[in-house]
Amino acid sequence: MPRVLVAALLLGTSGQVVRAEAPITAASAPAPVFTLDQALAAAGSSAPGLDAAAADLRAAQAGRTVAGLRPNPEMQVQVENVGGTGEFRGTQSAETTTGFALPIELGGKRSARIAVADAQTWRTEVEAAVVAADLRLQVTGAYLAAVAAERRAEIAQMETDFAAVGFRAASARVTAGAASPIEQQRADVLRINADVALERAKREAETARANLGRLIGKPVVGLLDRSWFERIETYGPSAPIKAEGTLALAAAEADLATASAQVRLARSQRVPDVTLSAGAKRLSASNDTAAVFGVSIPLPLFNGGRAALDQATAQESASDARRRMALIDTEREIASAQAELANAAASARAAGGPGLAAAFEAARIAGIGYANGKFSQLDLIEAQRTLAQTRSAYIDALVAYHGAEARLARLIAPAPVPGGAQ
């Protein structure tokens, strides 16, 4: 086999087939890199989910203002002794009463309404934080898929190069009478399959990049950040993380706070309100005026509010049980995510370290040995397949690592503080 074919089988440190390319000059500028942080920033400025969450938060804050308003006073006008018969015919005996009524809330209803509104506002803040955290997880997953798809396309390109070189080498050996024609046919089949796989990998990479662009609301231009993709920062077991204060548990805690506030509101509703009224009555017959005072108190004969209080109390108990369930589930999910992250980090380090180096060396030796007639074509194909599989396993391990890292970050994201306190 010609020496140029042997040289094409040599691999660089990046795991790609070494090719003759134009020299890089000092004037060559590095291509811009589109980082994950840039993708997250672009998604944050165009995501409809964030706009909806912001609108919900404004509505909740307006609801807090409404809850703090007092009942409106009433202006009352009453005319008596008109339109009758005899001396009450017409308006000559009319008695006109003009008054002012002021409802007075008792039992702490206003403060109870405010407490409910505050709890609901916090729940809305939690929902907004959940939307933002889910968007970050979604964008990270899409970015990760795009980077991995491009790396897999490079592996497919490497396999295509291997297959093309192997086909040329087999053809040369068959022409020289050093190999059976079946080797050339086998190499041709491998070359055709590799070309098909390369086209499929390129389409998947284009689709992944386009999906990332759709998610962030702008086309993805430039190279993706490979240094981030290949960075492994966590290795080995880590200390347990408590679920308290995390965003994953905050929704259940906000629901419990709302239910407790509803119990307080239902209890305050059992206290009847009082309406005070004051006015003046004018007697048309004598043109005299007299003051009128009144007090209105509802009688809780049919609805004393006990059923509503029992309902709110039961809902509070259910919310407390759900919070305890959420605490257990969240801590279990955090522990699983930590273990998954540590395992993925170990797998990525192993696949990208000694294992990948050994696969590179095996492919290099197999190429040289096949060129010199020391190894069979099957040995060469197996070495090349092992290298491609090892690189694929390395990429899969990196995908698993970054995916576990993103899921853990989503689970332990801090929850917003009630009331917006810092």
Side-chain angles (χ1 to χ4, degrees):
M1 183 171 61
R3 292 298 178 183
V4 66
L5 299 182
V6 177
L9 291 173
L10 300 180
L11 304 174
T13 57
S14 65
Q16 301 180 19
V17 177
V18 177
R19 303 182 183 88
E21 298 180 352
I24 299 177
T25 63
S28 300
V33 176
F34 186 74
T35 64
L36 175 59
D37 290 339
Q38 290 174 325
L40 292 171
S45 62
S46 63
L50 295 180
D51 294 338
D56 289 338
L57 183 56
R58 291 195 301 271
Q61 292 169 344
R64 165 62 172 80
T65 302
V66 172
L69 299 177
R70 301 180 184 276
N72 288 324
E74 297 180 2
M75 188 67 182
Q76 301 175 344
V77 177
Q78 183 178 359
V79 180
E80 301 177 65
N81 301 333
V82 294
T85 60
E87 63 177 324
F88 298 108
R89 185 185 304 275
T91 60
Q92 59 184 359
S93 299
E95 297 181 1
T96 304
T97 304
T98 304
F100 180 83
L102 177 64
I104 298 178
E105 292 183 312
L106 301 178
K109 292 183 179 64
R110 179 172 175 270
S111 61
R113 288 198 309 271
I114 292 175
V116 172
D118 286 338
Q120 292 174 341
T121 301
W122 180 38
R123 184 66 170 86
T124 307
E125 291 173 353
V126 170
E127 284 296 330
V130 167
V131 170
D134 288 343
L135 177 62
R136 180 179 182 86
L137 179 62
Q138 191 176 10
V139 172
T140 302
Y143 189 92
L144 180 60
V147 177
E150 292 189 354
R151 294 297 302 273
R152 291 190 177 99
E154 292 177 359
I155 294 176
Q157 180 65 61
M158 181 189 70
E159 292 180 315
T160 300
D161 294 341
F162 279 155
V165 171
F167 176 73
R168 292 195 297 270
S171 299
R173 286 172 61 85
V174 170
T175 301
S180 153
I182 197 172
E183 288 193 8
Q184 183 177 6
Q185 296 297 325
R186 183 187 296 120
D188 193 25
V189 171
L190 293 175
R191 179 178 61 84
I192 294 173
N193 291 337
D195 290 340
V196 173
L198 176 60
E199 292 299 321
R200 182 172 59 250
K202 287 181 177 179
R203 284 193 295 271
E204 291 176 353
E206 292 173 357
T207 301
R209 180 178 280 255
N211 286 338
L212 175 61
R214 294 185 185 98
L215 184 59
I216 65 177
K218 60 180 292 187
V220 179
V221 180
L223 301 176
L224 300 181
D225 192 356
R226 296 192 179 190
S227 61
W228 168 82
F229 182 67
E230 296 178 354
R231 187 182 307 121
I232 302 174
E233 298 178 352
T234 303
Y235 184 68
S238 56
I241 300 176
K242 295 296 183 181
E244 286 82 357
T246 62
L247 186 58
L249 186 62
E253 293 179 338
D255 288 338
L256 177 58
T258 301
S260 299
Q262 291 285 2
V263 171
R264 177 183 170 186
L265 179 61
R267 187 174 289 113
S268 69
Q269 295 290 347
R270 300 193 67 192
V271 180
D273 293 336
V274 175
T275 301
L276 302 179
S277 60
K281 175 180 288 189
R282 179 180 175 275
L283 305 175
S284 299
S286 61
N287 201 26
D288 293 329
T289 302
V292 178
F293 299 96
V295 177
S296 175
I297 302 177
L299 300 178
L301 297 179
F302 304 108
N303 182 11
R306 182 63 192 180
L309 178 60
D310 292 341
Q311 180 185 21
T313 302
Q315 291 174 345
E316 181 187 29
S317 299
S319 296
D320 182 62
R322 293 190 186 96
R323 189 200 68 83
R324 288 183 278 113
M325 291 172 56
L327 176 63
I328 296 173
D329 292 341
T330 302
E331 290 187 343
R332 179 174 53 82
E333 291 175 359
I334 290 175
S336 298
Q338 285 184 289
E340 182 183 358
L341 180 62
N343 292 337
S347 299
R349 289 180 183 272
L356 189 58
F360 282 148
E361 184 64 13
R364 186 186 70 83
I365 294 175
I368 296 175
Y370 180 67
N372 294 316
K374 302 297 183 181
F375 297 133
S376 67
Q377 185 189 39
L378 295 179
D379 293 331
L380 175 62
I381 293 173
E382 182 63 27
Q384 293 172 351
R385 181 184 295 114
T386 300
L387 175 58
Q389 291 175 347
T390 303
R391 290 193 66 190
S392 295
Y394 178 48
I395 291 176
D396 291 342
L398 289 174
V399 170
Y401 168 77
H402 287 292
E405 186 180 42
R407 288 189 293 275
L408 179 60
R410 167 64 180 84
L411 287 171
I412 65 176
V417 180
Q422 301 295 330

